[in-house]
Amino acid sequence: MKPARFSLALRYLGLLTILAISIGPFLWQFSTSVKGPAEDVFVPDFIPDDPTFGNYAAVADVVPVWSFALNSLGVASVNVVTNCLGAAMAGYALARLKFRGRKLAAVVFASSILVPFEAILISLFLVMRGLGLTDTLTAVVLPGSIAALNVLLLRNAFLALPAEVEEAAVIDGANAWQRFTRLALPSVKGTLVVVALFSFMFSWDDFLWPLVVLSDQEKYTLTIGLAYLQGTFVQNQRLVAAGTIIAVLPLILLFLLLQKHFFRGVGEGAIKG
Amino acid sequence: MTHRPYTPWLFLLPGLGVCLMFTIFPFLNMIVLAFTDASALGGGRFTGVDNFVRMAQDPKFWLAARNSLLYMAGVVPPLVLLPLLIAMLAQKVVPGIGIFRTAFFTPVIASAVVVGLIWTWLLDSRGLVNNVVEALGGTRIGFLTDSTLLLVSSMVVTVWRGLGYYMVIYLAALANVPKDLHEAAMVDGAGPVRRFWSVTVPALRPTMVLIAALSAVNGFRVFSEIYLLSGGTGGPGGASTTMVMLIQSVGRGLTGEVGYASALSFVLFVILLGLLLVTLKLNRREDQL
């Protein structure tokens, strides 16, 4: 079967080309980040002569990159908790409780998905100023703390659960909160993982909003810290490269551990752009 | 009754609160402010359509709108087509395919900032790409210093970052294309190219419309890529500024013109909503076919 083997070889050739395009830029950045001060970083050589992790320590002398990372981690972690809990509560009420105004509440969530963040950027800044929260990490977290998209994702997950189990619990005298925490929440674990992952990633990667709402360098998250680093110390690419690797490595590790959930997230409509 | 009348509202309170306070209210406020001359310090009088008249005469607005539209037009075709081709490459289960799919998705999880910095370094006047260009006998190209090339470079970055994301959507859609259609076409003697156009593309049309819409909306909203590749300046003389960059620079800081920035935001919203409605209409036509 010569033609089959030929087409397989062609397929692998294509796959390898895309592979090089996808991860080549990361490898080049990593390679730059471990090149010593004696090596010319402009020479296109992927393998460093004398690899060193010194730049990772040196970048912290220039900007407080670890405290930026800590800020990002804090913001992202809070974002995960508030999204999982707040969106699950709202989603549960929309899916499982009957009450007047339910349709209206669903419409509020659905219509807020249609509002592009960029269009309310300035207005949102004014809200934060009115609350006296500008230049705080709280202001960074709040707008995305319970995303409407996650509410609707969880609503759909709760809707898909069979009603019988809960009906039995009602007869046993369980109240709404008990049914929510003991029966409903454990049954939508899969969707919760997707919501958690994308909340973490969205928050860790966010750039525009922290850029607008933060001005004190001490409060910087990693993304705006890195943009600042590039602006001031563009001369030493080794340090910028080390900073970028610090920012991307946690997400790559998270992704490698939980990749099937990432792919599911894309399929389930983690289409928030 | 299985719960007290106020119980559902307690469940909804945090989510609804965040939604109303940080999306719906700022949105409505933005529309009101668009018709005032509010400044960063507050105040502002109702000025009717003054902001929109000013916009029509503002060359910066037209430049930014043009750049955003160009950007959208530039990224949509490659983002509809290339991920489909990649998905078709990655669709067949061959040894090691998991590694390939995972690697293709990696640029998606990296932040726009990380991606922007990586490409700034690659496209630097003395960077890797220019070294390759020179090795091939060309002269160094000002990818980041020429305002047109800066736009094109940013588009390349956006496309690069989107490939894996849309590939996953296409992979899911390809799995739903009935196999017997391909087999029937093969029996009829259709080659791979013919089958691509006559079987795959028609079956995937709704997905393609969806991806076109998503990438168009995201393309028009572009900010981070150009901001980073230009080092925060919007290119030489600000010639590569986009709509979102303009809104951010007009409305921000102590001298921020909140009223005018809101009017710009309103226009941005209307354009994005228009894109969405067009897509819905296209998809509805699909349903009728």
Side-chain angles (χ1 to χ4, degrees):
Chain A
M1 278 295 278
K2 264 214 173 124
R5 198 174 280 177
F6 178 71
S7 85
L8 190 66
L10 213 60
R11 184 179 289 270
Y12 271 107
L13 190 69
L15 288 171
L16 285 170
T17 309
I18 309 294
L19 182 78
I21 293 172
S22 302
I23 63 169
F26 290 104
L27 293 179
W28 177 239
Q29 193 79 349
F30 179 71
S31 156
T32 305
S33 79
V34 294
K35 281 178 179 164
E39 194 169 351
D40 184 356
V41 285
F42 293 103
V43 173
D45 186 359
F46 267 86
I47 315 287
D49 297 335
D50 183 18
T52 165
F53 284 99
N55 298 318
Y56 289 82
V59 68
D61 297 334
V62 179
V63 290
V65 67
W66 299 111
S67 103
F68 294 164
L70 214 59
N71 287 343
S72 280
L73 186 67
V75 167
S77 308
V78 172
N79 203 38
V80 167
V81 174
T82 51
N83 265 293
C84 284
L85 193 64
M89 283 167 62
Y92 180 77
L94 293 180
R96 282 290 187 226
L97 303 175
K98 289 198 174 68
F99 58 99
R100 280 186 63 170
R102 182 164 73 164
K103 272 228 172 83
L104 182 73
V107 167
V108 169
F109 287 118
S111 51
S112 72
I113 287 180
L114 293 179
V115 176
F117 181 79
E118 290 80 357
I120 57 168
L121 182 67
I122 299 300
S123 185
L124 194 56
F125 178 80
L126 298 180
V127 171
M128 289 304 166
R129 205 178 55 186
L131 295 170
L133 288 173
T134 47
D135 225 356
T136 64
L137 291 175
T138 311
V140 177
V141 175
L142 272 177
S145 57
I146 304 176
L149 180 74
N150 292 334
V151 172
L152 296 186
L153 272 181
L154 280 155
R155 170 184 167 264
N156 289 344
F158 286 125
L159 275 177
L161 297 180
E164 291 81 15
V165 186
E166 273 200 60
E167 279 159 13
V170 172
I171 294 167
D172 290 346
N175 66 29
W177 181 254
Q178 287 165 334
R179 277 176 278 143
F180 169 64
T181 53
R182 292 184 200 162
L183 289 174
L185 262 189
S187 322
V188 295
K189 254 187 231 144
T191 309
L192 279 176
V193 173
V194 170
V195 166
L197 267 180
F198 277 81
S199 300
F200 190 91
M201 186 171 92
F202 181 74
S203 174
W204 184 268
D205 288 351
D206 195 15
F207 178 57
L208 180 58
W209 176 238
L211 182 73
V212 167
V213 84
L214 295 178
S215 47
D216 178 5
Q217 216 204 78
E218 253 176 44
K219 309 277 171 46
Y220 276 10
T221 56
L222 252 183
T223 49
I224 47 175
L226 283 181
Y228 171 77
L229 174 73
Q230 184 206 27
T232 24
F233 299 96
V234 75
Q235 306 308 330
N236 196 345
Q237 271 299 336
R238 298 172 189 84
L239 299 187
V240 177
T244 349
I245 298 298
I246 292 172
V248 77
L249 208 58
L251 276 188
I252 291 187
L253 293 179
L254 201 66
F255 169 54
L256 290 179
L257 277 174
L258 301 164
Q259 41 173 307
K260 68 169 195 228
H261 297 286
F262 271 94
F263 291 137
R264 231 188 97 201
V266 175
E268 273 192 15
I271 293 165
K272 58 174 136 192
Chain B
M1 211 57 186
T2 60
H3 55 77
R4 297 195 179 85
Y6 57 80
T7 304
W9 295 103
L10 291 179
F11 274 85
L12 281 168
L13 188 68
L16 217 48
V18 166
C19 197
L20 289 171
M21 248 175 110
F22 302 119
T23 302
I24 304 293
F25 170 72
F27 174 71
L28 297 174
N29 197 31
M30 176 270 287
I31 296 178
V32 173
L33 288 170
F35 298 93
T36 70
D37 63 355
S39 72
L41 302 170
R45 291 167 299 120
F46 180 74
T47 53
V49 293
D50 281 9
N51 284 327
F52 296 93
V53 173
R54 174 180 164 193
M55 207 184 298
Q57 294 159 349
D58 185 354
K60 275 192 186 158
F61 162 71
W62 290 109
L63 182 70
R66 188 205 68 159
N67 283 341
S68 286
L69 279 174
L70 271 179
Y71 205 89
M72 186 180 83
V75 297
V76 170
L79 278 178
V80 171
L81 197 64
L82 295 179
L84 173 57
L85 297 179
I86 296 175
M88 287 169 67
L89 262 180
Q91 181 196 16
K92 195 167 174 190
V93 179
V94 293
I97 194 64
I99 297 171
F100 285 110
R101 286 182 188 169
T102 304
F104 296 173
F105 197 75
T106 312
V108 179
I109 59 166
S111 67
V113 172
V114 163
V115 168
L117 291 179
I118 288 178
W119 281 88
T120 309
W121 175 220
L122 281 172
L123 298 174
D124 188 86
S125 60
R126 295 169 66 194
L128 188 65
V129 175
N130 263 324
N131 277 315
V132 172
V133 169
E134 217 175 32
L136 295 173
T139 50
R140 293 176 182 278
I141 301 166
F143 291 111
L144 308 177
T145 46
D146 177 88
S147 63
T148 312
L149 276 180
L150 180 67
L151 274 178
V152 176
S153 303
S154 308
M155 290 177 198
V156 169
V157 176
T158 301
V159 170
W160 179 76
R161 195 164 166 243
L163 290 177
Y165 189 79
Y166 297 122
M167 171 196 79
V168 174
I169 299 182
Y170 272 131
L171 276 176
L174 279 172
N176 294 331
V177 177
K179 269 214 178 82
D180 38 333
L181 276 181
H182 271 286
E183 280 156 13
M186 257 200 281
V187 170
D188 290 346
V193 177
R194 184 71 211 276
R195 270 181 286 141
F196 174 73
W197 288 112
S198 317
V199 179
T200 310
V201 169
L204 291 185
R205 189 165 288 171
T207 311
M208 294 173 92
V209 171
L210 171 75
I211 289 177
L214 286 175
S215 55
V217 166
N218 288 335
F220 197 81
R221 290 162 52 181
V222 62
F223 172 78
S224 308
E225 284 92 335
I226 295 189
Y227 184 93
L228 286 150
L229 288 188
S230 68
T233 61
S240 310
T241 304
T242 64
M243 279 293 285
V244 176
M245 287 183 90
L246 184 64
I247 290 170
Q248 187 250 6
S249 71
V250 167
R252 200 177 157 227
L254 286 173
T255 53
E257 297 177 87
V258 170
Y260 189 46
S262 297
L264 290 167
S265 304
F266 185 66
V267 169
L268 176 82
F269 169 73
V270 169
I271 293 173
L272 292 178
L273 190 70
L275 282 173
L276 209 69
L277 292 178
V278 169
T279 314
L280 282 180
K281 196 153 194 192
L282 280 175
N283 265 345
R284 191 157 307 149
R285 201 173 300 157
E286 295 299 326
D287 294 343
Q288 287 165 355
L289 281 177

